[in-house]
Amino acid sequence: DQQVKQNSPSLSVQEGRISILNCDYTNSMFDYFLWYKKYPAEGPTFLISISSIKDKNEDGRFTVFLNKSAKHLSLHIVPSQPGDSAVYFCAASEGMTTDSWGKLQFGAGTQVVVTP
Amino acid sequence: DTAVSQTPKYLVTQMGNDKSIKCEQNLGHDTMYWYKQDSKKFLKIMFSYNNKELIINETVPNRFSPKSPDKAHLNLHINSLELGDSAVYFCASSQELPGGTGELFFGEGSRLTVL
């Protein structure tokens, strides 16, 4: 039973435009959310995170928005660059206690292709 | 200078064999993990260790046995391999708050193929 869902398996966007990746979750106990980026034959690398006490977090070209009532978060990348072409995973955690920290529930990922 | 390194990167073996995957992190983190990425591309946690102590043990067959000789190493041993064990196994580490940011740092993955 997938508690984190990324319903768009792929996204194609033109260089310089905005990429919007969506993620939905079902577990109301999740209170920490992360986005990871993955290139082929490499491990996922952390991109940006947001705590449930916030509704927005920004880091350079990357912004994550959280709508707790809708159990929805999104990642905005603007402007998109060819190097952003990768698989993006949404992940969620129930909290920061020792026995749950790092127990991330991942979505299936969205393949982003940025075209010149 | 890889932060989280796993060996081997690729492993092809026959059903019924026993194999191990090794993981080492040089980040000084207290917690290490094994995640499995199955054929549907979902990443699922298998185990976590904090300072050599088992913390998380998800519903994983007991053919899988993690071993942490020290907090920088977490190895995964798999007995009596089955076809369904074919997957990419990712090692990861993190430093919990307040000493760290809490994010997981992943290794490059070990692709296991069972024939």
Side-chain angles (χ1 to χ4, degrees):
Chain A
D1 181 30
Q2 280 303 117
Q3 299 181 51
V4 177
K5 296 177 184 177
Q6 294 175 256
N7 292 319
S8 297
S10 63
L11 173 70
S12 183
V13 65
Q14 213 167 13
E15 183 178 3
R17 306 294 286 267
I18 185 171
S19 295
I20 300 177
L21 291 82
N22 293 305
C23 177
D24 297 292
Y25 61 95
T26 57
N27 186 346
S28 57
M29 298 298 291
F30 287 148
D31 63 1
Y32 193 65
F33 304 88
L34 309 90
W35 285 93
Y36 279 82
K37 175 180 178 180
K38 185 182 181 304
Y39 293 117
E42 293 185 11
T45 55
F46 171 75
L47 199 55
I48 192 169
S49 63
I50 188 167
S51 162
S52 60
I53 61 173
K54 294 184 174 182
D55 56 15
K56 178 182 174 182
N57 189 25
E58 194 171 353
D59 184 1
R61 296 185 297 114
F62 303 92
T63 303
V64 57
F65 295 91
L66 175 63
N67 182 333
K68 280 188 67 178
S69 60
K71 294 192 179 69
H72 176 84
L73 63 155
S74 61
L75 174 69
H76 291 206
I77 307 173
V78 55
S80 300
Q81 299 173 354
D84 296 332
S85 296
V87 177
Y88 290 78
F89 290 98
C90 172
S93 168
E94 286 190 19
M96 302 182 184
T97 60
T98 299
D99 60 353
S100 65
W101 187 258
K103 185 177 175 180
L104 300 179
Q105 300 285 343
F106 280 87
T110 296
Q111 172 75 60
V112 172
V113 176
V114 180
T115 56
Chain B
D1 196 19
T2 308
V4 181
S5 59
Q6 307 177 218
T7 54
K9 284 194 72 172
Y10 300 95
L11 187 54
V12 180
T13 188
Q14 300 285 333
M15 264 193 339
N17 284 349
D18 304 337
K19 291 294 177 185
S20 292
I21 307 171
K22 296 185 177 181
C23 179
E24 176 182 4
Q25 54 98 1
N26 62 9
L27 298 167
H29 289 167
D30 290 332
T31 308
M32 295 185 71
Y33 311 81
W34 278 108
Y35 272 79
K36 178 181 179 181
Q37 186 179 33
D38 60 24
S39 56
K40 294 182 180 177
K41 305 301 182 186
F42 288 108
L43 276 155
K44 296 186 178 177
I45 190 167
M46 301 173 70
F47 304 100
S48 78
Y49 271 73
N50 182 274
N51 273 314
K52 302 192 297 177
E53 181 184 346
L54 180 66
I55 301 298
I56 296 173
N57 184 349
E58 290 297 283
T59 310
V60 177
N62 57 15
R63 298 182 295 103
F64 291 78
S65 52
K67 285 187 172 52
S68 182
D70 55 62
K71 76 171 194 176
H73 295 85
L74 180 62
N75 304 322
L76 183 65
H77 188 77
I78 315 170
N79 289 329
S80 303
L81 279 157
E82 300 177 356
L83 293 175
D85 297 332
S86 296
V88 182
Y89 292 86
F90 287 97
C91 177
S93 72
S94 72
Q95 185 65 36
E96 291 169 22
L97 298 171
T101 56
E103 293 85 14
L104 270 63
F105 292 77
F106 284 87
E108 293 183 330
S110 297
R111 181 176 291 277
L112 171 65
T113 302
V114 181
L115 303 175

